[in-house]
Amino acid sequence: MEDVLDVLIVGGGAGGLNAALMLSRTRRRVLVIDSGDPRNAPAREVHGFVSRDGTPPAELLVAGRAEVERYGGRVVAGEVRALRRTHGRPDRQGSPGRPNRQGSPNRQGSPGRLAFEAELADRTVLARRVIVATGLRDELPDIPGLRERWAREVLHCPYCHGWEVRDQPLGVLAVAGREAAAVHQALLVRQLSDDVVCFAEALADTDRARLTARGIRIVDGAVGGLVVEDDALRGVRLAEGTVVARSALFVPTRPVPRDELLTGLGCARDEDGRVRTDPSGLTSVPGVWAAGNAVDFGAHVVTAAAGGAKAALAVNMDLIEEDLAEHELADHERLEQAR
């Protein structure tokens, strides 16, 4: 197993780097593969992360990589094309074929060590455990101008970006299928400004009553695009031509998890379609953990970092238990041979 990593971490955002930091500090052999496409890359600053509030996302990641490398972990750029379950060593002659701690014997029937094979463009990497922290992408409504102003004046999280647009004329976009999320956003955004408009094609009467009670104006009709002048948002244009002056627009996106590696390994999903994990991030596949937005769509940067830490602690103990099981097996084999 000398050429096998203890832990491969796929994804070099806050979740993946914090997992790598914790594991490197326990002297584990850790490699982080980072595709360099974090969800919050367009954002100017990270917020809600105590002691790091206001830090540009790129600077936070640079600092995180340096901390991991300080303790012997490695972070490299790349993309994992495929992830497969394999095993770290061949079967021992005469082994009793007892299942490992997770109840899954290896291909030869012996306990064996769990291991995984990750295929990159230029090489293959073997690791005893895997943490997937690949995040998600935000799918925006198909309205002209939204993508171009994304993370500038078109925003998705009142907690992440609300303070910066406080006391301005704000809008919230309620598109078909995302009305509940939009109403939730609007109620939060109202805390930041007295001038909030919810743009909606259709809203339930109960939602209208809640918004009205909060002092939020409702503008009915489909949105056709944005009005941008001097490289700044000036208003929202309805499909019928009316322009409503706004300086920022909150948009509930559709989160699309980057969980192909997890599902490719056979990780089970829950009733909402997300990859199912236990509180430590362990998936239904032994040896595979997940952290951050790949499985927790609402996780902020600090939440993703905490998820990475929890996964790291569980992985480290799981490796210790596997080593103990191997020693137990070796002792059993020596006793059998001595008889």
Side-chain angles (χ1 to χ4, degrees), residues 68-81:
V68 170
E69 291 167 351
R70 182 190 310 159
Y71 297 105
R74 290 186 294 148
V75 182
V76 300
E79 185 174 347
V80 176
R81 296 179 172 180

Side-chain angles (χ1 to χ4, degrees), residues 45-307:
E45 298 174 338
V46 169
H47 293 288
F49 197 145
V50 66
S51 82
R52 294 296 178 267
D53 191 77
T55 303
E59 289 185 15
L60 187 71
L61 297 181
V62 167
R65 293 182 198 120
E67 289 171 354
V68 170
E69 291 167 351
R70 182 190 310 159
Y71 297 105
R74 290 186 294 148
V75 182
V76 300
E79 185 174 347
V80 176
R81 296 179 172 180
L83 189 59
R84 295 177 288 270
R85 182 168 168 174
T86 180
H87 288 273
R89 63 165 174 76
D91 187 26
R92 295 181 181 181
Q93 293 296 321
S95 64
R98 191 171 50 186
N100 64 19
R101 180 171 169 266
Q102 292 88 353
S104 301
N106 70 14
R107 285 174 294 188
Q108 296 84 10
S110 75
R113 288 187 174 187
L114 281 172
F116 299 86
E117 183 179 79
E119 179 184 325
L120 283 70
D122 59 345
R123 57 182 159 152
T124 297
V125 176
L126 294 176
R128 294 173 64 189
R129 297 293 184 272
V130 174
I131 298 175
V132 175
T134 42
L136 61 78
R137 62 181 177 85
D138 292 287
E139 189 175 273
L140 289 164
D142 188 18
I143 295 175
L146 290 186
R147 176 58 63 182
E148 291 77 6
R149 310 307 297 182
W150 179 239
R152 299 177 70 180
E153 302 99 350
V154 175
L155 310 167
H156 80 288
C157 175
Y159 293 104
C160 301
H161 311 293
W163 175 264
E164 285 65 40
V165 295
R166 67 194 183 281
D167 298 326
Q168 299 179 27
L170 307 178
V172 178
L173 180 60
V175 296
R178 301 292 294 167
E179 292 92 349
V183 170
H184 177 74
Q185 271 196 349
L187 296 174
L188 294 174
V189 169
R190 177 62 181 82
Q191 193 68 27
L192 303 165
S193 173
D194 294 332
D195 184 1
V196 179
V197 169
C198 181
F199 298 92
E201 296 183 50
L203 282 178
D205 290 342
T206 53
D207 288 334
R208 287 179 176 275
R210 283 164 59 81
L211 294 175
T212 301
R214 188 83 163 126
I216 298 166
R217 183 159 62 100
I218 300 169
V219 172
D220 294 300
V223 170
L226 305 181
V227 176
V228 177
E229 297 175 356
D230 299 325
D231 197 29
L233 178 67
R234 303 300 182 187
V236 174
R237 178 181 290 110
L238 301 182
E240 44 83 4
T242 301
V243 174
V244 180
R246 299 288 95 182
S247 59
L249 180 67
F250 286 84
V251 180
T253 63
R254 188 175 78 86
V256 181
R258 293 169 173 161
D259 59 6
E260 296 84 1
L261 294 177
L262 293 168
T263 56
L265 285 168
C267 297
R269 295 184 184 273
D270 63 19
E271 60 276 7
D272 295 322
R274 306 180 189 189
V275 169
R276 189 174 68 241
T277 62
D278 75 0
S280 74
L282 177 64
T283 70
S284 62
V285 175
V288 179
W289 274 256
N293 285 144
V295 290
D296 183 357
F297 298 173
H300 296 255
V301 175
V302 69
T303 316

